[in-house]
């Protein structure tokens, strides 16, 4: 079965994480994504550790299934070539600072004048205009600015960043959704359009009920750590071998929990009669529950609670996650052959569909300039011009892969 985006050509002019994550989603879905990296050293993310035998794990995390082209962005002929490639692509994705693409002659309006069916996606830090439009787009800055950090963390610790670059990742996902919507629209009317999002907008868009609390009630939520803001007991509890998430969200679940933990008096205790009382005495209740949970392991209690219809689950570290039979069953890790590292494991696209029955990881993240000649040939450049571009160091071909197909 053909992949959903097979035959769609994407010119990826992004770097770091938000843009590459967007284009990786498109590549996973079958688009031909050409990752253009500035020569002579490539995407800045290649220098970020930790490293697997000299290769950045950060880079490996967001660039699979792409073709790699190295190009000198500062060379006048390089910009001319980039424009040619953009006009021969279906989709262009960039995450430069606002105004940069226009200065290079690669802004949406300029390209769309020649290619009106072009879909063009731009990811910025704080938007393309406005009082903060020129601020650089760094994830933790956006996490704080968006309010997300203000509702994350413990009351004692204060605001805390999310453990992954959530602003970069979500802006990449929003951009990919926008690109897909624009592509569907193009099938209807033949016209392209510009898709824009930002780290700030992406995170504000995730505020969900916390945002609605303020909009509807003018409540300013505070970080509550691992407890639920309106349900008790609900949150993190310690067992004999580590923490467990427990979520008996209804009165019936609470009663079943008391039965399981052999707490016959708790349902009749005035402090715990209903959720309202339990909220008022949640600290005492937590201590009582943990006095029983510490008698056995996370997985023991998880199985016992699930059997009784009480939502629960262990809090795993990443070694636990990748050894877990359910994660393995969901095929969340796939392998690819890397030119230097050999077989590497990669996180899979978390979407199941018939077209992806064979998996989503088809090729490893490319070396810098791994496919330069191959890409330029596919775009229709004659061999003599490709040779001249390489000789003049306008483009860069990785020598170890000069004749290696994808």
């Amino acid at each position: 079965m053909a992949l959903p985006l097979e035959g769609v050509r994407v010119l990826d002019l992004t770097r770091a994480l938000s843009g590459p994550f967007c284009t990786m989603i498109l590549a996973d879905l079958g688009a031909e994504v050409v990752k253009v990296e500035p020569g002579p050293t490539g995407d800045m993310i290649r220098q970020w550790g930790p490293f697997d035998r000299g290769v950045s794990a950060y880079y490996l995390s967001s660039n699979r299934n792409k073709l790699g082209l190295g190009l000198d962005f500062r060379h006048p002929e390089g910009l001319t070539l980039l424009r040619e490639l953009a006009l021969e692509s279906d989709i262009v994705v960039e995450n430069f600072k606002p105004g940069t693409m226009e200065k290079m002659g690669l802004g949406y309006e300029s390209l769309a004048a020649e290619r009106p069916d072009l879909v063009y996606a731009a990811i910025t830090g704080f938007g393309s205009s406005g009082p903060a439009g020129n601020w650089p787009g760094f994830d933790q800055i956006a996490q704080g600015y968006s309010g997300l950090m203000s509702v994350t963390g413990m009351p004692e610790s204060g605001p805390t960043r999310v453990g992954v670059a959530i602003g970069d990742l979500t802006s990449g996902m929003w951009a990919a959704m926008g690109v897909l919507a624009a592509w569907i629209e193009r099938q209807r009317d033949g016209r392209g359009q510009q898709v824009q999002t930002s780290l700030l907008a992406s995170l504000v868009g995730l505020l969900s009920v916390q945002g609605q609390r303020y909009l509807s009630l003018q409540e300013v939520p505070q970080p509550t750590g691992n407890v639920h803001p309106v349900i008790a007991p609900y949150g993190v509890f310690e067992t004999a071998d580590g923490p467990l998430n427990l979520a008996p969200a209804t009165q019936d679940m609470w009663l079943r929990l008391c039965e399981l933990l052999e707490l016959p008096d708790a349902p009749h205790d005035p402090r715990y009669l209903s959720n309202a009382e339990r909220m008022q005495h949640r600290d005492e209740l937590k201590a009582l529950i943990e006095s029983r949970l510490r008698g056995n392991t996370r997985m023991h209690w998880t199985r016992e609670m699930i059997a009784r219809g009480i939502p629960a689950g262990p809090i795993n570290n990443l070694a636990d996650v990748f050894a877990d039979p359910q994660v393995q069953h969901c095929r969340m890790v796939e392998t690819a052959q890397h030119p230097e590292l050999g077989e590497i494991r990669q996180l899979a696209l978390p979407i199941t569909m018939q077209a992806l029955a064979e998996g989503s990881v088809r090729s490893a993240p490319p070396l810098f300039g791994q496919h330069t000649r191959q890409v330029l040939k596919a775009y229709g450049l004659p061999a003599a011009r490709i040779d001249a571009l390489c000789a003049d160091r306008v483009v860069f071909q990785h020598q170890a892969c000069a004749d290696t197909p994808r």
Side-chain angles (χ1 to χ4, degrees), residues 119-174:
V119 173
Y120 186 107
I123 303 172
T124 59
F126 292 83
S128 59
S129 59
N134 284 320
W135 285 26
F138 284 82
D139 179 84
Q140 187 159 336
I141 307 300
Q143 283 196 41
Y145 199 102
S146 70
L148 183 65
M149 283 178 65
S150 77
V151 295
T152 306
M154 307 295 287
E156 314 86 72
S157 69
T160 305
R161 70 180 293 275
V162 177
V164 295
I166 193 71
D168 284 327
L169 298 172
T170 54
S171 59
M173 285 194 288
W174 289 121

Side-chain angles (χ1 to χ4, degrees), residues 9-14 23 31-37 65-69 85 89 371 375 379:
R9 179 179 276 175
V10 179
L11 190 67
D12 177 4
L13 303 181
T14 70
T23 54
E32 179 186 88
V33 174
V34 176
K35 180 177 177 64
V36 183
E37 298 185 65
N65 293 336
K66 302 178 186 181
L67 299 168
L69 185 154
L85 299 180
S89 300
H371 306 100
V375 166
Y379 270 84

Side-chain angles (χ1 to χ4, degrees), residues 184-347:
I184 293 170
E185 181 72 9
R186 176 177 136 158
Q187 309 316 300
R188 286 203 291 259
D189 62 16
R191 299 181 63 182
Q193 59 185 292
Q194 186 175 28
V195 175
Q196 297 187 66
T197 191
S198 67
L199 274 66
L200 173 63
S202 295
L203 293 174
V204 172
L206 290 183
L207 291 177
S208 186
V209 67
Q210 299 288 48
Q212 197 62 48
R213 283 176 65 187
Y214 179 77
L215 294 175
S216 295
L217 305 171
Q218 288 71 58
E219 292 181 2
V220 178
Q222 300 298 312
T224 57
N226 292 319
V227 300
H228 196 283
V230 296
I231 302 174
Y234 192 121
V236 176
F237 298 82
E238 288 296 327
T239 71
D241 68 344
L244 171 83
N245 270 319
L246 176 59
T250 68
Q251 185 70 9
D252 185 54
M253 290 179 187
W254 155 246
L255 296 176
R256 277 180 266 151
L257 177 66
C258 292
E259 181 181 4
L260 171 62
L261 298 182
E262 298 180 356
L263 295 170
D265 297 331
H268 311 292
D269 190 314
R271 296 172 297 173
Y272 311 139
L273 287 177
S274 73
N275 184 67
E277 286 80 25
R278 293 194 292 273
M279 282 290 295
Q280 294 297 316
H281 301 279
R282 66 189 326 155
D283 291 340
E284 304 102 295
L285 182 56
K286 183 178 189 317
L288 177 63
I289 291 172
E290 288 183 336
S291 71
R292 295 294 196 270
L293 293 179
R294 289 183 188 275
N296 221 313
T297 65
R298 293 173 297 161
M299 286 311 298
H300 167 83
W301 290 120
T302 294
R303 287 189 290 267
E304 291 293 324
M305 290 182 189
I306 294 298
R308 290 165 173 78
I310 304 169
I315 297 177
N316 292 326
N317 63 31
L318 294 198
D320 297 326
V321 169
F322 292 119
D324 183 81
Q326 184 63 29
V327 174
Q328 293 173 357
H329 174 78
C330 292
R331 296 172 56 194
M332 282 307 303
V333 176
E334 298 176 15
T335 61
Q337 283 295 131
H338 188 275
E340 294 179 345
L341 303 178
E343 185 176 86
I344 61 171
R345 297 194 298 164
Q346 296 249 275
L347 288 173

